[in-house]
């Protein structure tokens, strides 16, 4: 493997109507086998897939770095989360069960938790391998099959996941990968044999998927964008708050949907906090993502880099002050000269009505906003169409719980940020989507309940 900035790695044909149908029919046939296996049988296969991923961690992480541009340091974490996800749902597979309900006269009822069928997963380019595991883990544990479409910008690592599932022993076709863009996604969503769609991506695309799914009355899980608030109170541990702000803004070059990009800082510590954040931001090592000490790699492609740069230009025009970064970065290594690099940016003098504060930039751009009271900051924090995440840093634990209870967001952090254990549900409020990935909650979105009522006496008839 070599770093190939600005160059085409490979070309893959887009799946058309014929290929999509073949993938769905193949998955449908595999579903008949997989859904009849016991939870413990599915558990063993999924544990084997997790073992292979864990064993090949370095190889898969390197592939992901080349696939996406993130640092190898981060990619390893993504791969660890991926095998942990499969292990977690393997553990749940054998415990999935319904309820027995006693009724009068010796009659009873029970519920069965049954799989949906062929599920579609449509992934994003920021966490290609991890998102595929987040979607396939609960889907397969519940007895479903999955047809997965990765982003056309990051098509490689999910193919490796499909190979790993096959090596682990899933029925042939249970996890299929199709390649392509919007047209391929549309074919998947509209296919009559698809039972459910899980999508991670932008709000506009999520709306289109929801419209298409509605025509077939298909359930959807949508994990969309965010413009999440990170609230720093004056009593917070400053060092910890600064590290949290960096994690909330510059992970994966800022290309993270739940990033806390609106950093609200209590006015009495604004200058101290800002100075320290700028100092730490300027020290972030940018460059070859395959080097061990690199902490920020390249953005996904040239159009996206230009888009992020456009937000910064507009922010300056609207009165924001660039405190550091925001410019293009050209590494010393000549082989990296065509890479899509930029210096992480911190914006000061921000106002709530600025575009850089209202819209999701999806790049390494932090906006700092002062506040004076808890009531005020909560009102401002919730004044957004998004509701994916939110965070608070304070030593006052009562205040912390009070604030997160008031935040209109699905994923909240206290004295940390961008921590996503697979045991905990992940998903948003409002335009950030609905449904949940991870945790036991995801089981609800990849299965359906059947109620059975058993009468032990004569039927009571009204006729």
């Amino acid at each position: 493997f070599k770093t190939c900035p600005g160059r085409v790695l490979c070309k893959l044909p887009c799946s058309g109507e014929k290929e999509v149908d073949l993938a769905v029919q193949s998955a449908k046939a595999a579903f008949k086998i997989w859904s009849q296996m016991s939870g413990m049988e599915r558990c063993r296969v999924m544990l084997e897939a997790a073992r292979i991923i864990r064993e090949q961690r370095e190889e898969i992480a390197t592939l992901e770095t080349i696939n996406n541009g993130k640092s190898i340091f981060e990619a390893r974490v993504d791969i660890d989360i991926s095998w942990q996800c499969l292990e977690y749902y393997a553990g749940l597979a054998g415990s999935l069960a319904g309820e027995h309900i006693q009724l009068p006269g010796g009659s009873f009822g029970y519920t069965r938790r049954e799989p949906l069928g062929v599920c579609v997963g449509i992934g994003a380019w920021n966490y290609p391998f991890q998102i595929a595991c987040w979607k396939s883990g609960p889907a397969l544990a519940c007895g479903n099959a999955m047809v997965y479409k990765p982003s056309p910008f990051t098509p490689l690592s999910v193919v490796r996941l499909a190979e790993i599932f096959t090596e682990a022993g899933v029925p042939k076709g249970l996890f299929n990968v199709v390649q392509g863009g919007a047209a391929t996604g549309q074919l998947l969503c509209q296919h009559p044999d698809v039972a459910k769609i899980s999508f991670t991506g932008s709000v506009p695309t999520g709306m289109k998927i929801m419209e298409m799914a509605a025509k077939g009355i298909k359930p959807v899980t949508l994990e969309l964008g965010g413009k999440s608030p990170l609230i720093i109170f004056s009593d917070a541990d400053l060092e910890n708050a600064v590290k949290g702000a960096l994690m909330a803004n510059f992970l994966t070059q800022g290309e993270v949907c739940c990033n806390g990009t609106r950093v609200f800082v209590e006015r009495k510590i604004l200058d101290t906090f800002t100075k320290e954040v700028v100092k730490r931001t300027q020290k972030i090592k940018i460059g070859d993502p395959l080097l061990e000490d690199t902490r920020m790699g390249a953005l996904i492609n040239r159009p996206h880099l230009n888009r992020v740069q456009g937000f910064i230009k507009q922010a300056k025009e609207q009165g924001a002050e660039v405190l550091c970064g925001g410019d293009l970065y050209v590494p010393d290594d000549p082989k990296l000269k065509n890479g899509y690099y930029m210096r992480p940016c911190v914006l000061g003098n921000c106002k709530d009505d600025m575009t850089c504060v209202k819209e999701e930039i999806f790049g390494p751009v932090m906006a700092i906003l002062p506040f004076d009271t808890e009531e005020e900051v909560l009102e401002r924090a919730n004044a957004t169409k998004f509701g994916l995440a939110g965070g608070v840093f304070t030593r006052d634990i009562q205040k912390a719980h009070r604030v997160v209870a008031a935040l209109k967001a699905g994923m909240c952090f206290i004295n940390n940020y961008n921590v996503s254990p697979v045991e905990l549900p992940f998903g948003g409020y409002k335009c950030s989507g609905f449904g949940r990935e991870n945790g036991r909650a995801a089981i609800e979105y990849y299965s359906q309940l059947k109620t059975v009522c058993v009468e032990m006496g004569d039927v009571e008839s009204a006729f």
Side-chain angles (χ1 to χ4, degrees):
F1 289 127
K2 293 181 180 178
T3 308
C4 305
R7 296 204 299 275
V8 175
L9 288 173
C10 65
K11 292 186 178 180
L12 297 166
C14 290
S15 299
E17 189 172 355
K18 178 183 176 183
E19 290 79 16
V20 166
D21 186 59
L22 282 171
V24 172
Q25 296 310 322
S26 172
K28 192 176 176 182
F31 168 72
K32 291 180 180 178
I33 301 169
W34 184 250
S35 61
Q36 294 303 308
M37 292 168 66
S38 72
M40 285 299 292
E41 288 174 310
R42 294 198 292 268
C43 167
R44 285 193 289 270
V45 175
M46 292 180 68
L47 284 176
E48 176 63 10
R51 185 198 65 78
I52 295 170
I53 294 170
R54 190 167 61 248
E55 192 176 83
Q56 299 180 6
R57 174 188 191 240
E58 196 65 24
E59 176 191 336
I60 300 168
T62 303
L63 176 62
E64 190 74 321
T65 290
I66 293 168
N67 193 37
N68 164 275
K70 67 173 62 187
S71 71
I72 187 71
F73 175 83
E74 282 191 36
R76 290 189 186 111
V77 176
D78 293 358
I79 305 311
D80 286 341
I81 291 173
S82 298
W83 65 254
Q84 288 164 14
C85 177
L86 296 189
E87 273 196 355
Y88 176 76
Y89 285 108
L92 289 185
S95 68
L96 299 180
E99 288 184 296
H100 177 278
I101 299 94
Q102 192 66 43
L103 299 173
S107 297
F108 64 94
Y110 63 91
T111 60
R112 288 171 49 89
R113 186 166 291 283
E114 298 182 344
L116 299 168
V118 177
C119 300
V120 161
I122 301 177
W125 46 257
N126 56 345
Y127 287 85
F129 195 87
Q130 181 180 306
I131 291 174
C133 288
W134 278 17
K135 295 187 186 303
S136 61
L140 269 56
C142 289
N144 301 288
M146 177 164 273
V147 179
Y148 195 89
K149 188 193 82 66
S151 163
F153 299 134
T154 52
L156 296 179
S157 58
V158 177
V159 176
R160 183 71 195 110
L161 178 61
E163 293 171 347
I164 288 168
F165 276 133
T166 301
E167 290 171 34
V170 305
K172 183 180 178 181
L174 189 75
F175 182 83
N176 282 327
V177 177
V178 295
Q179 302 285 0
T184 305
Q186 183 173 344
L187 289 169
L188 286 168
C189 293
Q190 295 176 339
H191 197 288
D193 289 329
V194 164
K196 182 241 165 64
I197 302 146
S198 178
F199 169 73
T200 298
S202 71
V203 173
T205 305
M207 291 171 67
K208 292 175 183 175
I209 285 172
M210 197 171 173
E211 288 173 6
M212 288 185 284
K215 293 177 181 175
I217 320 295
K218 297 175 183 178
V220 295
T221 296
L222 298 178
E223 199 276 275
L224 309 177
K227 193 69 182 177
S228 302
L230 175 60
I231 303 170
I232 314 290
F233 286 98
S234 59
D235 65 347
D237 179 315
L238 185 66
E239 169 69 12
N240 201 42
V242 168
K243 288 193 293 187
L246 297 179
M247 280 289 290
N249 281 270
F250 302 136
L251 203 65
T252 309
Q253 301 77 249
E255 298 164 327
V256 183
C257 53
C258 55
N259 268 357
T261 51
R262 293 184 294 145
V263 181
F264 293 95
V265 183
E266 194 165 357
R267 198 178 300 274
K268 63 178 73 172
I269 62 163
L270 177 65
D271 292 342
T272 307
F273 176 87
T274 302
K275 182 180 179 181
E276 189 62 27
V277 159
V278 168
K279 185 173 81 172
R280 293 283 295 272
T281 300
Q282 290 172 324
K283 291 181 179 178
I284 293 174
K285 177 72 184 299
I286 314 166
D288 187 341
L290 287 174
L291 296 179
E292 291 295 331
D293 62 343
T294 296
R295 288 299 176 267
M296 183 173 290
L299 274 70
I300 190 66
N301 54 36
R302 177 67 64 183
H304 185 62
L305 175 62
N306 292 341
R307 180 177 179 272
V308 174
Q309 294 276 295
F311 272 108
I312 295 170
K313 181 174 180 285
Q314 188 178 31
K316 288 191 286 187
E317 291 169 353
Q318 293 179 351
E321 180 185 358
V322 176
L323 302 177
C324 70
D327 53 329
L328 298 177
Y329 176 77
V330 181
D332 295 331
D333 189 338
K335 78 174 187 290
L336 302 177
K337 68 177 182 179
N338 294 320
Y340 310 129
Y341 296 98
M342 66 170 283
R343 296 181 197 272
C345 178
V346 178
L347 297 175
N349 198 37
C350 294
K351 305 290 188 296
D352 291 351
D353 60 352
M354 289 178 175
T355 305
C356 65
V357 176
K358 293 194 298 182
E359 297 298 323
E360 184 176 36
I361 298 175
F362 220 62
V365 183
M366 178 193 303
I368 297 180
L369 304 108
F371 75 90
D372 295 299
T373 69
E374 180 182 327
E375 183 181 18
E376 167 215 337
V377 76
L378 280 169
E379 184 175 345
R380 292 167 63 196
N382 287 328
T384 172
K385 65 182 178 180
F386 297 109
L388 187 52
V392 55
F393 278 77
T394 176
R395 285 189 174 95
D396 183 340
I397 199 64
Q398 287 184 320
K399 184 197 292 181
H401 289 300
R402 188 169 64 239
V403 168
V404 296
L407 287 174
K408 295 183 173 70
M411 187 76 189
C412 290
F413 305 92
I414 295 175
N415 293 330
N416 60 22
Y417 207 92
N418 273 339
V419 182
S420 297
V422 296
E423 300 94 329
L424 295 178
F426 182 92
Y429 290 4
K430 298 189 281 188
C431 285
S432 290
F434 54 81
R436 291 294 181 266
E437 315 251 36
N438 292 345
R440 287 183 173 272
I443 298 299
E444 300 293 331
Y445 300 99
Y446 283 101
S447 61
Q448 53 195 346
L449 281 177
K450 176 181 287 179
T451 298
V452 181
C453 189
V454 182
E455 178 61 57
M456 298 301 289
D458 294 334
V459 174
E460 288 190 19
S461 176
F463 304 98

